[in-house]
Amino acid sequence: GEDVEQSLFLSVREGDSSVINCTYTDSSSTYLYWYKQEPGAGLQLLTYIFSNMDMKQDQRLTVLLNKKDKHLSLRIADTQTGDSAIYFCAESPGGYNKLIFGAGTRLAVHP
Amino acid sequence: EPEVTQTPSHQVTQMGQEVILRCVPISNHLYFYWYRQILGQKVEFLVSFYNNEISEKSEIFDDQFSVERPDGSNFTLKIRSTKLEDSAMYFCASSEESQGLNTEAFFGQGTRLTVV
């Protein structure tokens, strides 16, 4: 079946790195995504990784994909207070037409 | 920057009533979606829509739900007879191409539906 799991809460100190983890079940997913949701706002695509890649770096964001273990992680370097939000991992089973989301990880950044 | 807009931001309705949630997707997008998130739970796919017809729907999207693109700009989700368990945040999204083809789905800010 299609399922995405992620931890619900992460607290980090400003300036430290944050690592948000996610596991998924559908090996047919062509792309895997990270979305960010700030209070009162919609879901904003942060980054994505193609399933044949192991790593993708985009400025402060690093995505690691372990396809064998179906494990995805998002690392945010030098975490800032503006990074406080809910982060959703998502897969696209069969590659098209829908996203399967995790429950979201609430990232709290404190001074 | 183009954005997906949803109205209203919050809708309260009595059980058994019909509700219509409205969305204006980004103008050159061809694919449209509805998702929902029950408080404290995952964001769940409801339906995708392309070329004036449903391309995929989930088990949640039963006969109580329908979608429509009544004109060139709006995309609506109708719930015919609301139940308490329909209370959730409903997100509309749109994309240029089908999701998964290296294309971004843009989400609206959501409509919070409360059924009392």
Side-chain angles (χ1 to χ4, degrees), chain A residues 22-89:
Chain A
C22 166
T23 57
Y24 63 97
T25 55
D26 198 310
S27 57
S28 71
S29 290
T30 309
Y31 291 91
L32 295 138
Y33 303 83
W34 284 103
Y35 278 81
K36 177 182 181 182
Q37 184 183 31
E38 295 180 355
L43 299 165
Q44 175 195 3
L45 179 65
L46 266 186
T47 187
Y48 64 90
I49 188 166
F50 190 49
S51 58
N52 69 351
M53 296 170 65
D54 298 323
M55 185 181 85
K56 180 179 179 181
Q57 186 142 8
D58 184 0
Q59 298 181 337
R60 292 191 296 122
L61 305 179
T62 303
V63 179
L64 295 177
L65 175 60
N66 181 329
K67 201 172 179 182
K68 173 176 167 289
D69 294 337
K70 298 190 181 71
H71 182 267
L72 184 73
S73 68
L74 173 70
R75 178 177 181 270
I76 305 172
D78 187 24
T79 314
Q80 303 298 307
T81 54
D83 295 324
S84 295
I86 301 175
Y87 291 81
F88 292 91
C89 170

Side-chain angles (χ1 to χ4, degrees), chain B residues 15-29:
Chain B
M15 194 168 52
Q17 294 297 305
E18 174 184 285
V19 293
I20 297 176
L21 309 184
R22 302 181 191 279
C23 170
V24 178
I26 294 172
S27 60
N28 64 331
H29 285 186

